[in-house]
Amino acid sequence: MGALTDIIQGILGVGASVMLPIMIFIVGIIFGVKPGKALVGGITVGIGMIGINLVVDLLTSSVGPAAQAMVKRFGLHLTVIDAGWPAVSSGTWAQPIAAVMIPVVIIVNLVMIFTKMTKTLDIDIWNYWHMGAAAATAYIVTGSWWFGIVAGIIYEVAVLLIADKTAPKVAEFYGLDGVSFPTGSAAAYGLLGIPIGWLVSKIPGLNKIDVDAQTIQKKFGIFGEPMVMGIVIGAALGILGGYDLPNIAKIGMTMGGVMFLMPRMVKVLMEGLIPIQEGAQNFLQKRSGDRKIYLGMDAALSTGAPETLATGLLMVPITLFLAVILPGNRVLPFADLATIPFFVALIVPSRKGNIIHSVISCTIVMALALLMATDFSDVLTEMMKGVVAFPQGAAHVSNLDTGGNFLNWLILKLSQLVSPLFH
């Protein structure tokens, strides 16, 4: 088992920019794309992913310190620290059951495709750790390997079904035709946020408000440009963090750069996917008529839309405010604040890019996520003990990506319900 874990860690360790082109090339060959075309497509996707990762790093390295400054400035004292998804993913891979889930996830996905249970071929292997986290959660609670694997499969099936259901909106809103988002966190937040957003849109008065990027641009001219919106939101984060004027200007320009560069990086990546998508469609049409297949990709692609980035960035101070006023919450949001734009990837298109409706919907979802993350803290603390260094002064840890994840929380509750059967 240790050897299997080492192999899995070695494969994942080379990063998305290396593994994704290889996987795209293999998928292209399987679907009958000419080797040269598949290779160029794979390399182009890898270059696009390098660009996306550079912009994401720019985003997180700016929002993270701003969030930390806000926490210090407002003197927030909560007993459970948000350790962030990188720490939780490390804790997940340290569980032996997580390594087993990699081949299980692949086999289940292929079986579901061949039996027409799903249209999504999930090639986003880095986010398989979400399935591993669900399996590890069930294993820690029940002590049962087989139940842990079953829990991971249940999680995977739910994520793939959500990805299928939301793929048409992903194509319509983001322009990512033939792509779905089987990212565990995005799917779980969408599962709550989409129906909540629908209810928000029915509230008298609110149903008349429609504020997307184009509306802002029309009404506010240059201030409605995505890059300028980024500068304004970034400057607001700097002001809330108590930054001085030069640093307010710096974070503002950085967020403006993120809003400007991300759509262009996503466009590069999509150029590489086009021949693979065409090959997949031709392959399936020859064998099963008009059946469509979606390539499951990281929800980070959603940040190419200014409405998604704007909603995610606006949710950073809102989430901190919620943490202070929400009865029953013990989680201090921190490391996962910068990844909120990924959580809202399926909520924003369901509101057709209406930023006001999206922010209200995400505020309700985030309140629920904080309570779930609080409830999850004992299990996540157990998962990460001896694996990652806890933040200074933290006796308990949780996070928004996994602990605040509705699907994973349901796995936790199911595991606690059946736990007596295994003890």
Side-chain angles (χ1 to χ4, degrees):
M1 188 59 64
L4 177 60
T5 302
D6 290 342
I7 291 170
I8 296 296
Q9 293 281 34
I11 292 172
L12 296 173
V14 299
S17 60
V18 175
M19 278 305 299
L20 194 53
I22 294 171
M23 292 196 67
I24 291 293
F25 175 75
I26 293 170
V27 170
I29 295 300
I30 291 171
F31 287 142
V33 179
K34 291 181 180 179
K37 210 171 183 180
L39 180 61
V40 171
I43 292 172
T44 304
V45 168
I47 291 170
M49 187 55 72
I50 289 172
I52 289 171
N53 285 336
L54 286 172
V55 181
V56 168
D57 287 345
L58 191 63
L59 173 68
T60 54
S61 63
S62 298
V63 175
Q68 187 176 19
M70 281 185 245
V71 168
K72 288 181 178 178
R73 187 180 183 203
F74 294 107
L76 306 184
H77 298 291
L78 296 162
T79 57
V80 179
I81 305 298
D82 167 18
W85 72 265
V88 176
S89 66
S90 297
T92 295
W93 291 122
Q95 310 301 317
I97 196 170
V100 175
M101 284 307 299
I102 295 291
V104 169
V105 167
I106 294 171
I107 292 168
V108 169
N109 190 185
L110 292 176
V111 168
M112 288 180 69
I113 285 175
F114 290 133
T115 57
K116 299 185 178 180
M117 289 178 64
T118 185
K119 298 177 183 177
T120 293
L121 177 62
D122 187 359
I123 60 175
D124 182 23
I125 63 171
W126 299 271
N127 278 307
Y128 284 9
W129 77 266
H130 285 103
M131 291 72 166
T137 295
Y139 172 70
I140 288 171
V141 174
T142 66
S144 168
W145 269 77
W146 77 262
F147 184 77
I149 292 171
V150 168
I153 292 172
I154 292 171
Y155 187 99
E156 177 187 9
V157 171
V159 166
L160 290 174
L161 294 178
I162 293 168
D164 281 353
K165 191 71 175 175
T166 54
K169 280 290 183 184
V170 168
E172 177 189 345
F173 183 73
Y174 295 117
L176 303 175
D177 189 38
V179 169
S180 66
F181 292 154
T183 307
S185 52
Y189 274 80
L191 185 59
L192 278 178
I194 291 172
I196 288 173
W198 180 83
L199 290 172
V200 167
S201 71
K202 300 301 178 184
I203 298 173
L206 274 178
N207 58 0
K208 304 295 184 185
I209 300 174
D210 186 8
V211 181
D212 59 11
Q214 289 183 340
T215 304
I216 294 173
Q217 193 167 344
K218 284 178 184 176
K219 290 189 176 181
F220 296 96
I222 189 173
F223 292 100
E225 290 284 347
M227 70 181 84
V228 180
M229 285 171 55
I231 290 171
V232 171
I233 293 172
L237 292 176
I239 291 167
L240 287 171
Y243 284 15
D244 57 21
L245 190 58
N247 283 312
I248 290 172
K250 185 177 179 181
I251 190 174
M253 280 302 298
T254 300
M255 291 302 102
V258 168
M259 295 284 271
F260 181 83
L261 291 171
M262 187 63 84
R264 286 154 176 78
M265 296 303 102
V266 172
K267 186 177 179 181
V268 170
L269 186 144
M270 287 305 299
E271 285 177 8
L273 284 181
I274 289 171
I276 313 302
Q277 291 170 342
E278 291 174 348
Q281 289 307 116
N282 293 333
F283 180 88
L284 288 170
Q285 282 175 358
K286 289 176 184 176
R287 289 159 179 79
S288 55
D290 294 329
R291 187 181 175 217
K292 189 165 188 172
I293 192 166
Y294 304 122
L295 294 180
M297 300 287 287
D298 195 322
L301 296 185
S302 67
T303 53
E307 294 90 347
T308 301
L309 259 181
T311 299
L313 293 174
L314 288 170
M315 285 305 302
V316 172
I318 291 172
T319 301
L320 284 167
F321 178 69
L322 283 172
V324 176
I325 67 168
L326 188 64
N329 174 60
R330 293 189 293 117
V331 173
L332 174 61
F334 178 57
D336 269 344
L337 286 171
T339 55
I340 291 177
F342 309 148
F343 301 164
V344 306
L346 298 177
I347 300 173
V348 177
S350 76
R351 296 298 92 231
K352 300 180 180 179
N354 188 322
I355 296 174
I356 300 296
H357 288 187
S358 297
V359 168
I360 293 171
S361 305
C362 293
T363 299
I364 297 169
V365 173
M366 195 56 70
L368 297 172
L370 285 168
L371 295 177
M372 288 186 284
T374 297
D375 189 39
F376 226 120
S377 61
D378 288 340
V379 171
L380 285 181
T381 300
E382 180 67 26
M383 189 185 297
M384 291 189 282
K385 267 183 183 174
V387 178
V388 295
F390 283 16
Q392 187 175 1
H396 280 74
V397 292
S398 189
N399 77 329
L400 298 176
D401 185 292
T402 311
N405 178 317
F406 183 51
L407 286 174
N408 219 34
W409 183 78
L410 290 177
I411 292 293
L412 172 67
K413 295 294 109 178
L414 177 62
S415 303
Q416 290 172 340
L417 182 66
V418 303
S419 180
L421 300 176
F422 299 100
H423 293 95

